């Protein structure tokens, strides 16, 4: 591995740099730090976020739009957010606009409704992405384009779409799709092909896999490495963020954190270990703002200890065990963990599920996150607990087979061929995943269903789909499955569904959770509680880096308790990695022996 603080990966950078990885590993911070470093080397740099829940504005300290905006204090650097909703509005108008004044208003309204789903949002944002990736003229003013992407599962789908849509257009014979006339997409074919070519040219694009020295993050990085290598994206590098070295040998918890990191790195998957690698240390402060971001890649980061006053008193909160007590009183229903990637949704969902199962309840734990692997977190053989994953590929196959079987009695051979062609559209996956999600929620009528959801942006698209389907049901008594028909009413029923917003005691996760809460409330869904995870303030650290991080948590803990949450649980950072049923029970504040006595 290269030494800590090395910027060797920027000595001969390609024009396009992609930052991807598991949620919460520091993609945005490192993309920003890299952009600042390149700009200071007198390169003209454009930094782009493709994350539907982008926090680039907050990290850089400048309001952004869908157009390049100069970053104050960093000449040569501009940044933009791809706004999926704004892109969808432009896309709809591009498709519908030519027919205004020609077709009846009812036909125009029908077209607009057809283009109102999450699939249109995805393809519209994808159009913006491919323009920046594949159209050299659109970015001719810049030497380097840096993409700060959404968490891995969403990014893999984004990077696969050039091939998926190119193939669909090549095979489609009807001239239509769920996105309207294919003539509107046909003009994009060359752009999609150019994007695919740019992704696979090593002299043009470098994929920077960002990870932390944690088993799950490194395993996710390896899965991403292998999948993208299979697509022809071969120029890859590894950035390991947050390497911690204990400075106080008497701080047992700090030494445990260091040992966890060392053990994870020692067990790194072989494919990942062969990549060129740069390691970045854990800083005692969050890298927010240009000065702190630049410290990520600095050889000697500046000290900020003098910026902190005396330790303030911490606001009152629940333990995770007390929160589970409240959830248990319902006897059944749905528990959903939501929040920014990397805040610990999967771990906390697993801990809640294992604790409820240990108390004798029938519990089903599932996930909508394409990158989540519940079995690796929970282990096997937990009584009363079943696990599943909403697998987009499997659900798409199942949905397609169901639709074809139901339609075959009514359609001739030509009709079936046209239907099969339509079902090959990438949009089919959205409908299939949504239907599976509705089925999982319905199972909460007969026991506890704990749903670990995908990172924020992906989850919002799923909930937007729920609203769109619900509007269709309210307007049209169509033959929809009962779970789909009842999905939004169930999500809106606080006696049936308990939404838990998971965050870390830091600015970006807290503010993103607050924005998500606003989105949920506008959809008629009120979160049951907030969980502040991995709190150093709840520990007794003497190590200077961890102690400083704990002191810096206070304003964010106070903000959650006093401004956002109906009830708040705070979970301290755990010296032992919370993997396996026993460790998850400890995280939940319970042991098997204690529960057996209760």
């Amino acid at each position: 591995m290269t030494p800590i603080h090395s910027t060797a990966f920027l000595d001969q950078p390609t024009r396009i740099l992609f930052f991807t990885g598991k949620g919460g590993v520091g993609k945005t911070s490192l993309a920003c730090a890299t952009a600042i470093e390149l700009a200071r080397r007198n390169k003209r740099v454009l930094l782009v976020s493709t994350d539907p829940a982008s926090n680039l504005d907050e990290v850089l300290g400048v309001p952004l739009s869908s157009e390049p905006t100069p970053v104050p204090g960093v000449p040569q650097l501009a940044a933009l957010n791809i706004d999926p909703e704004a892109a969808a509005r432009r896309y709809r108008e591009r498709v519908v606009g030519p027919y205004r004044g020609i077709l009846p208003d009812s036909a125009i309204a029908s077209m607009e409704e057809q283009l109102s789903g999450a699939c249109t949002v995805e393809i519209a944002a994808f159009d913006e992405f491919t323009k920046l990736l594949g159209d050299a003229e659109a970015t001719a003013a810049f030497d380097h384009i840096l993409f700060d992407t959404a968490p891995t599962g969403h990014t893999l789908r984004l990077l696969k779409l050039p091939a998926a849509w190119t193939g669909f257009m090549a095979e489609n014979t009807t001239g239509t799709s769920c996105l309207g006339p294919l003539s509107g997409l046909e003009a994009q074919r060359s752009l999609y092909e150019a994007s695919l070519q740019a992704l696979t040219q090593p002299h043009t694009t470098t994929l920077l896999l960002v990870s932390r020295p944690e088993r799950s993050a490194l395993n996710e990085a390896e899965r991403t490495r292998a999948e993208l290598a299979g697509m022809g994206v071969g120029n890859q590098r590894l950035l390991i963020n947050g390497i911690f070295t204990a400075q106080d040998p008497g701080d047992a918890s700090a030494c445990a954190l260091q040992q966890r990191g060392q053990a994870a790195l020692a067990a790194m998957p072989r494919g990942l270990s062969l990549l060129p690698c740069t390691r970045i240390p854990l800083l005692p402060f969050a890298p927010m703002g240009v000065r702190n971001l630049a410290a990520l890649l600095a050889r000697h980061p500046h000290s900020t200890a003098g910026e902190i006053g005396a330790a303030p008193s911490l606001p009152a909160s629940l333990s995770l065990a007390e929160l589970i007590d409240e959830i248990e009183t319902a006897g059944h229903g749905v528990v959903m963990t939501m929040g920014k990637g990397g805040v610990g949704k999967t771990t906390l969902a697993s801990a809640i599920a294992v604790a409820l199962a240990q108390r004798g309840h029938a519990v089903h734990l599932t996930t909508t996150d394409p990158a989540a692997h519940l079995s690796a977190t929970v282990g096997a053989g937990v009584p009363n607990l079943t696990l599943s994953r909403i697998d987009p590929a499997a659900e798409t196959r199942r949905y397609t087979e169901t639709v074809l079987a139901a339609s075959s009695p009514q359609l001739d051979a030509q009709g079936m061929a046209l239907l099969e062609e339509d079902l090959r559209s990438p949009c089919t996956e959205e409908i299939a995943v949504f239907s599976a999600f509705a089925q999982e929620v319905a199972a909460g009528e007969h026991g506890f269903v704990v749903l670990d959801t995908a990172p924020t942006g992906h989850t919002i698209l799923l909930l937007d789909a729920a609203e769109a389907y619900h509007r269709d049901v309210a307007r049209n008594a169509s033959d929809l499955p009962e779970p789909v028909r009842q999905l939004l009413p169930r999500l809106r029923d606080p006696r049936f569904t308990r939404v838990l917003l998971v965050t870390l005691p830091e600015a970006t996760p807290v503010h993103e959770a607050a924005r998500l809460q606003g989105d949920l409330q506008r959809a008629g869904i009120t979160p049951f509680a907030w969980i502040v995870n991995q709190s150093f303030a709840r520990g007794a650290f003497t190590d200077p880096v961890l102690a400083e991080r704990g002191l810096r948590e206070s304003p964010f803990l106070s903000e959650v308790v006093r401004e956002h949450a109906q009830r708040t649980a705070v979970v301290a950072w755990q010296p032992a990695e919370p993997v396996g049923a026993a460790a998850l029970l400890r995280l939940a504040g319970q042991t098997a022996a204690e529960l057996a006595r209760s």
Side-chain angles (χ1 to χ4, degrees), residues 456 460 463 467 514-525:
T456 309
I460 289 173
L463 293 173
E467 281 211 275
R515 287 191 292 271
L516 175 57
Q517 178 163 269
D519 290 329
L520 290 167
Q521 289 171 336
R522 282 189 290 276
I525 301 169

Side-chain angles (χ1 to χ4, degrees), residues 4 11 57 147 166 168 174 212 255 278 309 364 396 447 469 475 484 490 516 520:
I4 284 180
D11 287 348
D57 310 56
F147 289 93
T166 299
F168 177 65
T174 64
R212 284 192 178 272
C255 292
T278 297
H364 183 66
T396 301
Y469 275 82
R475 189 179 60 251
V484 173
R490 283 177 170 137
L516 175 57
L520 290 167

Side-chain angles (χ1 to χ4, degrees), residues 117-445:
C119 192
T120 300
V121 174
E122 179 182 59
I123 194 66
F126 170 66
D127 271 358
E128 299 295 313
F129 161 71
T130 51
K131 183 170 66 176
L132 294 167
L133 181 63
D135 184 355
E137 291 185 9
T139 56
F142 300 97
D143 299 309
H144 297 285
I145 317 300
L146 277 64
F147 289 93
D148 168 35
T149 69
T152 310
H154 202 250
T155 298
L156 285 172
R157 177 157 169 77
L158 183 74
L159 296 181
K160 288 177 179 178
L161 280 171
W165 278 108
T166 299
F168 177 65
M169 287 187 288
E171 296 172 6
N172 185 284
T173 60
T174 64
T176 63
S177 76
C178 55
L179 298 171
L182 272 181
S183 57
L185 291 175
E186 189 65 35
Q188 304 295 97
R189 183 199 292 266
S190 61
L191 185 57
Y192 295 172
E193 291 173 345
S195 300
L196 190 60
Q197 188 176 26
L199 281 171
T200 55
Q201 289 181 340
H203 62 276
T204 300
T205 299
T206 303
L207 187 86
L208 293 153
L209 291 163
V210 183
S211 184
R212 284 192 178 272
E214 299 169 358
R215 178 187 54 83
S216 61
L218 290 165
N219 288 340
E220 180 61 28
E222 167 59 16
R223 284 188 291 270
T224 305
R225 181 206 64 78
E227 193 159 348
L228 290 175
M231 291 169 52
V233 183
N235 186 13
Q236 302 184 18
R237 299 189 68 104
L238 178 63
L239 303 181
I240 303 180
N241 187 30
I243 299 281
F244 175 70
T245 303
Q247 298 180 37
D248 181 357
D251 187 334
S253 293
C255 292
L257 177 57
Q258 177 179 326
Q259 290 164 4
R260 270 175 59 175
Q262 290 173 339
L265 293 174
M268 184 189 303
R270 175 170 170 74
L272 210 58
S273 68
L274 297 176
L275 295 180
C277 178
T278 297
R279 295 180 292 163
I280 299 98
L282 179 71
L283 298 179
F285 53 85
M288 304 284 287
V290 169
R291 180 169 177 261
N292 286 347
L293 286 164
L296 269 175
L297 298 180
R299 187 165 296 276
H300 301 291
H302 61 271
S303 173
T304 61
E307 301 172 6
I308 308 175
S313 58
L314 298 175
S317 60
L318 301 171
S319 68
L320 184 57
E322 290 170 324
L323 184 62
I324 295 170
D325 288 343
E326 290 196 45
I327 291 170
E328 186 188 16
T329 58
H332 70 98
V334 173
V335 179
M336 295 177 68
T337 55
M338 293 186 175
K340 187 180 187 299
V343 296
K345 296 185 300 296
T346 301
T347 298
L348 288 168
S350 300
I352 292 167
V354 170
L356 289 171
Q358 189 72 32
R359 298 180 185 198
H361 298 282
V363 183
H364 183 66
L365 174 62
T366 188
T367 182
T368 68
D369 188 346
H373 295 268
L374 296 174
S375 58
T377 301
V378 176
V382 179
N384 302 319
L385 179 65
T386 57
L387 307 179
S388 71
R389 182 169 76 93
I390 298 177
D391 180 338
E395 296 301 337
T396 301
R397 285 194 299 273
R398 187 177 297 116
Y399 176 82
T400 299
E401 290 167 0
T402 300
V403 171
L404 290 173
S407 302
S408 61
Q410 289 82 38
L411 297 177
D412 59 17
Q414 183 179 6
M416 285 294 288
L418 292 173
L419 178 59
E420 288 173 356
E421 182 176 276
D422 190 53
L423 288 169
R424 285 195 292 271
S425 159
C427 295
T428 300
E429 181 180 302
E430 175 218 335
I431 300 169
V433 169
F434 174 79
S435 299
F437 174 65
Q439 293 282 354
E440 297 286 14
V441 169
E445 295 284 358

